[in-house]
């Protein structure tokens, strides 16, 4: 994707071929800063502090972190220690565990002297695979958007853009490139389809307003930020043609765990007859669990994310201010689960499929076999 007209990824190998660079997403949209990850501690901190975030990018960053640990100490003990440190950073996104399992399986079978080079190469392959998966999701999702556009050629909505609502940031900033939920949007935009994106602000971290809006603006995609609670309203008034969201973990039965507030959008979409699609790359599918509500570990983050907010002051400095009364308690679950019955379809790298056990198993039989 593009930043000020320049093609860029969210993570890339440094010039020294022994470190990686990331965009510090905690600084966006007001500051664009690049940070170096030189060791496993840097990688763990970047994930935990959300300098990188989004299930696919977390997985890729963890893979590079495991490889960098082998540069410092390629022993079996350090491999296990590094993977444990990285695994503990965030509990919900399944890509983190998937990437670390892949790295551990590869590295443990190699002699220590080969582990750093092989690990760095494998992490790069995981990053390349993520790009390919996201682009494939874009290609499959493009048809959903063009079908809506075709229906708008004539009739009362003739000439109107395709209106898409998305939640949080499942854009290229959440992956290595293209994004998941945004991949079909970028594909449609580049194909010349007239479209407009409703961007949920996505409290409490405002990743829609600060990240999705930023990247859509960089790419020239028309968009409007709305407060989270306005989603149902714009659906009621016929201003949403389809909803596309991402996923941090999709169960074997099709339940979808995504940023808090996704469930409410799915309920509003069902009530208003709006298709609700989930962009789900296969590494985010967890075939080991079935009941999302009962089995997915939900990360609970700091109260401060709710009681305080940061923004750019008139003087050009970023300031953090308190919103809530001092002493008021806050509860901050970072994700919720949307039951499969509310998901119209999953957009995967292998096509648009039903959100149920049979469809998932048929699309990804090799993943089921690994369970």
């Amino acid at each position: 994707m593009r930043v000020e007209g320049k093609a860029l990824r969210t993570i890339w190998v440094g010039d020294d071929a022994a470190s990686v660079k990331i965009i510090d997403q905690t600084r966006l949209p007001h500051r664009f800063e690049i940070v170096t990850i030189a060791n496993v501690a840097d990688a763990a901190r970047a994930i935990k502090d959300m300098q990188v975030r989004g299930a696919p990018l977390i997985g890729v960053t963890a893979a590079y972190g495991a490889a960098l640990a082998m540069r410092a100490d390629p022993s079996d003990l350090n491999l296990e220690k590094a993977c444990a440190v990285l695994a503990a950073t965030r509990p919900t996104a399944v890509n983190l565990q998937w990437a670390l399992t892949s790295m551990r399986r590869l590295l443990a079978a190699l002699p220590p002297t080969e582990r750093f080079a092989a690990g760095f190469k494998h992490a790069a392959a995981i990053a390349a695979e993520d790009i390919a998966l996201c682009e494939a999701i874009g290609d499959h999702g493009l048809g959903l958007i063009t079908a809506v556009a075709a229906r708008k050629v004539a009739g009362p909505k003739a000439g109107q853009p395709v209106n898409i609502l998305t939640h949080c940031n499942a854009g290229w900033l959440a992956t290595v490139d293209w994004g998941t939920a945004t991949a079909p949007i970028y594909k449609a935009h580049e194909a010349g389809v007239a479209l407009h994106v409703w961007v949920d602000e996505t409290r409490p971290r405002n990743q829609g307003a600060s990240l999705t809006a930023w990247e859509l603006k960089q790419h020239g995609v028309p968009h409007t930020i709305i407060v989270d609670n306005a989603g149902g309203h714009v659906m009621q008034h016929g201003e949403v043609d389809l909803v596309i969201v991402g996923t941090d973990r999709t169960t074997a039965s099709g339940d979808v765990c995504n940023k808090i507030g996704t469930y409410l959008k799915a309920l509003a979409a069902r009530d208003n007859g709006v298709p609700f699609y989930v962009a789900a790359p296969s590494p985010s599918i967890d075939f080991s669990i079935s009941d999302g509500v009962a089995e997915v570990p939900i990360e609970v983050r700091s109260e401060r994310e709710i009681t305080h907010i940061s923004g750019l002051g008139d003087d050009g400095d970023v300031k953090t201010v308190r919103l809530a009364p001092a002493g008021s308690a806050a509860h901050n679950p970072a994700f919720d689960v949307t039951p499969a019955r509310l998901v119209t379809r999953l957009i995967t790298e292998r096509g648009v499929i039903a959100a149920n056990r049979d469809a998932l198993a048929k699309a990804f039989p090799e993943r089921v076999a690994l369970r």
Side-chain angles (χ1 to χ4, degrees), residues 323-342:
L323 290 172
S328 291
H331 179 48
N332 187 16
F335 304 91
D336 59 24
V337 174
T338 298
R341 68 178 183 276
L342 299 177

Side-chain angles (χ1 to χ4, degrees), residues 219-240:
H219 208 70
V221 178
H223 62 280
T224 304
I225 300 167
I226 57 174
V227 299
D228 292 357
N229 290 336
H233 171 77
V234 292
M235 290 186 209
Q236 281 182 326
H237 287 266
E239 297 180 78
V240 180

Side-chain angles (χ1 to χ4, degrees), residues 330-352:
H331 179 48
N332 187 16
F335 304 91
D336 59 24
V337 174
T338 298
R341 68 178 183 276
L342 299 177
V343 178
T344 303
R345 287 289 187 275
L346 301 172
I347 310 171
T348 77
E349 70 267 22
R350 294 183 181 172
V352 181

Side-chain angles (χ1 to χ4, degrees), residues 243-366:
V243 178
I244 309 178
V245 301
T247 175
D248 285 80
R249 187 182 300 220
T250 301
T251 71
S253 60
D255 293 344
V256 172
C257 179
N258 194 51
K259 182 58 62 181
I260 193 77
T262 302
Y263 175 43
L264 294 178
K265 292 300 180 295
L267 289 170
R270 173 59 61 91
D271 192 52
N272 289 280
V274 175
F276 183 90
Y277 297 103
V278 177
S282 57
S284 69
I285 302 170
D286 186 351
F287 283 98
S288 71
I289 63 175
S290 295
D291 188 331
V293 175
E295 296 180 85
V296 175
I298 300 297
E299 177 183 7
V300 178
R301 296 184 59 83
S302 167
E303 293 184 4
R304 188 176 173 84
E305 292 181 351
I306 294 176
T307 59
H308 292 68
I309 195 167
S310 297
L312 191 67
D314 292 339
D315 59 1
D317 289 335
V318 175
K319 295 178 172 62
T320 298
V321 298
R322 174 180 281 277
L323 290 172
S328 291
H331 179 48
N332 187 16
F335 304 91
D336 59 24
V337 174
T338 298
R341 68 178 183 276
L342 299 177
V343 178
T344 303
R345 287 289 187 275
L346 301 172
I347 310 171
T348 77
E349 70 267 22
R350 294 183 181 172
V352 181
I353 66 174
N356 62 48
R357 186 181 300 277
D358 290 344
L360 282 163
K362 183 178 180 180
F364 302 101
E366 75 284 3

Side-chain angles (χ1 to χ4, degrees), residues 26 102 131 153 169 236 275 301 346:
T26 65
S102 180
I131 295 172
V153 171
N169 176 257
Q236 281 182 326
R301 296 184 59 83
L346 301 172

Side-chain angles (χ1 to χ4, degrees), residues 19-362:
S19 65
V20 292
K21 304 286 187 179
I22 62 167
I23 300 169
D24 185 349
Q25 298 189 32
T26 65
R27 301 295 186 183
L28 293 174
H30 309 302
R31 304 277 190 271
F32 179 78
E33 296 182 8
I34 294 171
V35 172
T36 298
I37 294 178
N39 52 54
V40 66
D42 289 344
R45 182 168 53 252
I47 296 169
K48 187 173 184 179
D49 293 349
M50 297 181 72
Q51 290 177 303
V52 296
R53 21 73 51 209
L57 182 55
I58 287 172
V60 172
T61 305
Y64 274 117
L68 289 168
M70 296 298 91
R71 182 187 182 203
D73 174 5
S75 68
D76 289 347
L77 181 62
N78 195 48
L79 174 60
E80 293 305 315
K81 179 182 177 182
C83 288
V85 167
L86 291 162
T89 52
R90 298 195 68 191
T92 301
V94 73
N95 303 61
L96 175 63
Q97 299 294 340
W98 173 84
L100 290 175
T101 298
S102 180
M103 292 294 290
R104 186 187 293 110
R105 183 182 298 118
L106 171 81
L107 297 177
L110 296 174
T113 54
E114 298 179 11
R115 287 178 177 175
F116 171 60
F120 224 57
K121 183 178 180 180
H122 191 55
I126 291 175
E129 180 186 34
D130 179 65
I131 295 172
L133 296 183
C134 288
E135 186 166 12
I137 285 172
D139 291 334
H140 291 299
L142 171 61
L144 301 173
I145 297 174
T146 56
V148 174
R151 293 197 294 270
K152 287 191 169 186
V153 171
K157 293 188 176 182
Q160 294 183 14
V162 177
N163 284 297
I164 303 166
L165 185 144
T166 192
H167 188 68
C168 194
N169 176 257
W172 73 268
L173 288 170
T175 66
V176 180
D177 207 349
W178 285 103
T180 55
T182 59
I185 294 169
Y186 289 131
K187 287 283 185 176
H189 178 69
E190 292 183 354
V193 177
L195 53 80
H196 166 264
V197 182
W198 293 109
V199 179
D200 277 359
E201 62 176 350
T202 324
R203 283 282 292 151
R205 291 187 64 92
N206 297 305
Q207 291 152 309
S210 61
L211 301 179
T212 302
W214 181 83
E215 65 171 78
L216 291 174
K217 183 176 184 294
Q218 291 288 331
H219 208 70
V221 178
H223 62 280
T224 304
I225 300 167
I226 57 174
V227 299
D228 292 357
N229 290 336
H233 171 77
V234 292
M235 290 186 209
Q236 281 182 326
H237 287 266
E239 297 180 78
V240 180
D241 295 302
L242 65 163
V243 178
I244 309 178
V245 301
T247 175
D248 285 80
R249 187 182 300 220
T250 301
T251 71
S253 60
D255 293 344
V256 172
C257 179
N258 194 51
K259 182 58 62 181
I260 193 77
T262 302
Y263 175 43
L264 294 178
K265 292 300 180 295
L267 289 170
R270 173 59 61 91
D271 192 52
N272 289 280
V274 175
F276 183 90
Y277 297 103
V278 177
S282 57
S284 69
I285 302 170
D286 186 351
F287 283 98
S288 71
I289 63 175
S290 295
D291 188 331
V293 175
E295 296 180 85
V296 175
I298 300 297
E299 177 183 7
V300 178
R301 296 184 59 83
S302 167
E303 293 184 4
R304 188 176 173 84
E305 292 181 351
I306 294 176
T307 59
H308 292 68
I309 195 167
S310 297
L312 191 67
D314 292 339
D315 59 1
D317 289 335
V318 175
K319 295 178 172 62
T320 298
V321 298
R322 174 180 281 277
L323 290 172
S328 291
H331 179 48
N332 187 16
F335 304 91
D336 59 24
V337 174
T338 298
R341 68 178 183 276
L342 299 177
V343 178
T344 303
R345 287 289 187 275
L346 301 172
I347 310 171
T348 77
E349 70 267 22
R350 294 183 181 172
V352 181
I353 66 174
N356 62 48
R357 186 181 300 277
D358 290 344
L360 282 163
K362 183 178 180 180

